[in-house]
Amino acid sequence: MRVFSTRHRDVGLGYVAISLVAVAVGMLLSLVMRLHLTWPDWSLPLHGPVLPEEYLAIVTMHGTLMLFFVLTVAPLSGFGNLILPAQIGTRRMAFPRLNALGMWTMWLALVAALAAFFVPGGAPIGGWTAYPPLSESPLAGPGQGAGMDLWMASIALFCVAGTMNAVITLTTIVKRRCEGMTWERLPLTVWAWFTAALLSVPAFSVLLAALVLLFCDRHLHSGFFVPGQEWINGVMIEHRGDGSPLLWLHLFWFFGHPEVYIAILPGMGLVSMVIANFARRRVFAYRLMIATTLLIGLLGIVVWGHHMFVAGLNPFAGTVFSVASLAIALPSSAKVLSWLVTAWGSRAPGGQRKPMATPMLYALGFVSFFITGGLTGPVLAQPILDEYLHNTFFVIAHFHLIMSMAAIFGIFCAVHYWYPLVFRRQLSERLGRWHFWLTLLAAYGTFLPMYITGLGGEPRHYAQLNGIAGPGARLLALTMPLQRHITYSAVVLIAAQVLFFWNIQRTARGPKLTEENPWGATTLEWAPGAMDDEGPKVRVVREPCCYEQDGEGFVPQWAEPEAVSGIPIPLRGEAE
Amino acid sequence: MASLQTSDVVRWGWFLPRDAALHGPALDAHLMLNLWIVLGLAVLAHGLLLVGVMVRRRRAKLPVVMLEYLPLLALTALFAWLATKSEQLWASQRYVGADPAAMQVEVTGEQFAWYFRYPGVDAAFGRTKLPLVSAAEGNSLGIDPTDPKGKDDIVTSQLVLPAGREVDLTLRSLDVIHGFSAPEMRLKQNAVPGQTAHIHFTPTVPGEYAILCTQVCGLGHYRMQSVLRVLPAKEFDAWLTQRELAKARFESEVSR
């Protein structure tokens, strides 16, 4: 593999490597957070006790690394580059050199973000949302000086790289599909990448613009996000203008909400295809799945205000955002129903094939987390309930079950499913199953109790819950037994990931696979030579997921009709 | 009061703290309804998922309408019903302002403390100016000494309220965004620098309650806590009169 390669596979692997670095650091940071919350006097080896500002810096960087560099980069940029061209029957992404440039810009963004730890004052402490005036003045706290500037530079570079990749993805899907690959025959993965890329362009552009304005507020004393006069840490600051932090909230969440769909949509698409493949039947209500993907994307852009119910918005605006947010429950439910129906009765009749291979397990795990995390979305979408639950651990449980667990299970599913395609080796099923079950149970042990501590009133971003006097501390101290349980689970959850890396490491030395299509997949990336740079050109003659009634025989998208004339294909729109 | 019993704070198994505001029980009931529905749907969906992957392929053919559109229709009705119910609660609390007779208190957030200001006998708050803020001179809120309305304003570090009377809180912040939260009052609203926000509620049960900051505001965020003391109406009147007298004495000494 050449370092400055413009091949889509190398670029995709580069993006995946970014995510691997970010996920390793982000996971360690979360471990430090959990240990500190449970035992505040605990001394970090080679460092000493964790100070409150360090705790906030860790929270900020954990969110930044995970949201931007793991959940956006791996599913969309990483697997998009690795698999997308083969899945639509082209040899390369559009604009290969720009594509490689995007990946290297993303590396630069990651380096800038990590560098924030090593400057005077340390990393920023305002959370990944960076609300001004906290993010606007170095006086507001340690980390808000050089650390904050590095953070902004990092996210600006991320926006540039992300937009580049989104434009390339869109262009590739629109212009480079092979013969016969009509929009209706596109695998749902491609539809998901398409929608995520569509969302990325306005979301990242708006965030970049907001960052430029924040930069002006910080260094040129303009007043886009701060009032004309500010009083911070005993110092009066005058600005050339009279603005409002609410403008930042609007711009930030206009990016921030679509961002969560950018992260989860690729997983949804992949899970749809994987469940269909291992259940050996057509995706139930295929066209509706395309429609719901687009609808979730569309609604995702117009609901940013549900992060602002208690921020100082007009309560009538809260109502509008509430109704729009509740509406997302419907396309999401439609997707869950489709997954349930598709997976129904997937056990093999003959017992020759194994429907419960690890990619299927991860896909089902995705569905499970999506249900348990997603169902609390409508609860939080009601402003009257958000008035109580906003910024508590209830919210943390909600988005960690969806974002950190469902989306990560989507990534695990992708790794296990496509590993034989990319590396011609198969990951150990046994290790994979162990990893799956341990991760699933530990994740539920970690995140489900957070619903309860959230209901108990535990707020986010608290560096310490006990040891303070007053009724607030007495209230929070009640969550401590659960806190300890959450920390133990989190330690198991993180430890279980060793199995995954061990599996990858072990397989890298294992024997090569002889089978070209070990999962019996029907989508185009498994066509012979589809992943090569100079393979035979392929032609698509039907939609994906055509299987025989007994589930043994299947007809891939690329098989010519005369070769498979004897196989009856079930009708569309029915569950067998 | 230090040895508050667990049972005083936690009402029941979902860990929800005690509810001591007039609008609270309706909110709690709606929250519980939501949580039970969510739990039911989660169990149902997981049951279908587990049974689905255990059973072997069935031959019966069901149309899309039965498996997709009917359940979706039911869910639409369910969410519409929940939305209507919750919007009624939200509207009754937030669409209209406080009763004109409600007690006025101003809440100011500053890294990392809450200040509470009562308007005093003239029932009007004095003007504040940011350049006048000086904790060293005893003027943490920057009250303008030239404004006669501010002469009798009382500033406290605890929020003391009478039980059973509506309160209109005016929220503001001196420096960064703070989140004013009183979990036992089922109340939360951000205090945003450069603007004011109003929330109104009626505390019902006398006691000592938590006031937290729920918007990350800097390194002391976790200890930006205060006390909400709800007193029986008579005790509150005595407390307020005492404060007003002390303030009047102080002012007359300063002017002498």
Side-chain angles (χ1 to χ4, degrees), chain A residues 471 474-475, chain B residues 1-9 18 184 208:
Chain A
R474 282 200 294 277
L475 186 71
Chain B
M1 214 40 198
S3 62
L4 197 74
Q5 293 303 302
T6 304
S7 55
D8 288 340
V9 187
R18 185 159 67 161
E184 285 107 334
E208 271 197 6

Side-chain angles (χ1 to χ4, degrees), chain A residues 81 93-95 98-99 163-173:
Chain A
N81 268 296
M93 297 288 276
F95 319 123
L98 195 64
N99 198 18
T163 312
M164 271 194 241
N165 181 68
V167 169
I168 292 163
T169 305
L170 289 174
T171 313
T172 310
I173 296 172

Side-chain angles (χ1 to χ4, degrees), chain A residues 26-49:
Chain A
M27 210 158 62
L28 283 178
L29 294 180
S30 66
L31 184 65
V32 174
M33 266 150 54
R34 284 310 322 167
L35 292 174
H36 175 72
L37 262 190
T38 314
W39 298 285
D41 301 327
W42 170 73
S43 188
L44 182 63
L46 307 175
H47 175 88

Side-chain angles (χ1 to χ4, degrees), chain B residues 102-131:
Chain B
M103 199 175 88
Q104 300 290 325
V105 184
E106 183 198 69
V107 180
T108 306
E110 185 212 337
Q111 288 179 321
F112 303 97
W114 292 109
Y115 293 103
F116 307 97
R117 182 156 69 124
Y118 297 77
V121 279
D122 66 354
F125 291 111
R127 195 170 43 235
T128 56
K129 284 183 176 170
L130 272 187

Side-chain angles (χ1 to χ4, degrees), chain B residues 62-71:
Chain B
L62 278 170
V64 180
V65 176
M66 293 289 286
L67 293 171
E68 187 99 28
Y69 291 104
L70 273 185

